[in-house]
Amino acid sequence: MSNEIKYNNSIAFHPGSYVEDIIRERNITESEFAEQLGVSSRTISKIINGKEDISEDVANKLAEFTGVSLKTWLNLQKNYDIKLMEIRTQNNNFDYSKKTKVP
């Protein structure tokens, strides 16, 4: 899984890890979840794999679907972004735009 970034003692968990947990708990496929949520299965796959951020629209849909507040979903994304920025400042060869280490 690439929904977490580690550097030294810092770790950033992408909110997609929580989406993955919800899918697993409901015992449904990513495609079924995407359909129920009203987004593409590609969007869900990218979110789960940490390749796409949770947009305001998706956060709103997640809030309605899960009962977890919109504010919580947006804060999860914001906190992840902040942690990535902290990791970036600790490690000069971290490419924030790609969320990966540069060789």
Side-chain angles (χ1 to χ4, degrees), residues 56-87:
E56 290 178 6
D57 181 54
V58 171
N60 189 51
K61 290 176 180 185
L62 285 166
E64 290 177 8
F65 187 82
T66 64
V68 175
S69 74
L70 170 64
K71 184 177 180 178
T72 297
W73 286 110
L74 293 174
N75 281 337
L76 286 170
Q77 184 63 56
K78 181 179 75 174
N79 290 337
Y80 174 74
D81 293 341
I82 290 168
K83 184 55 81 173
L84 281 182
M85 187 60 73
E86 290 172 357
I87 290 171

Side-chain angles (χ1 to χ4, degrees), residues 4-13 80 83-84 87:
E4 65 180 46
I5 305 292
K6 296 179 185 177
Y7 180 74
N8 290 337
N9 292 328
S10 296
I11 198 166
F13 288 99
Y80 174 74
K83 184 55 81 173
L84 281 182
I87 290 171

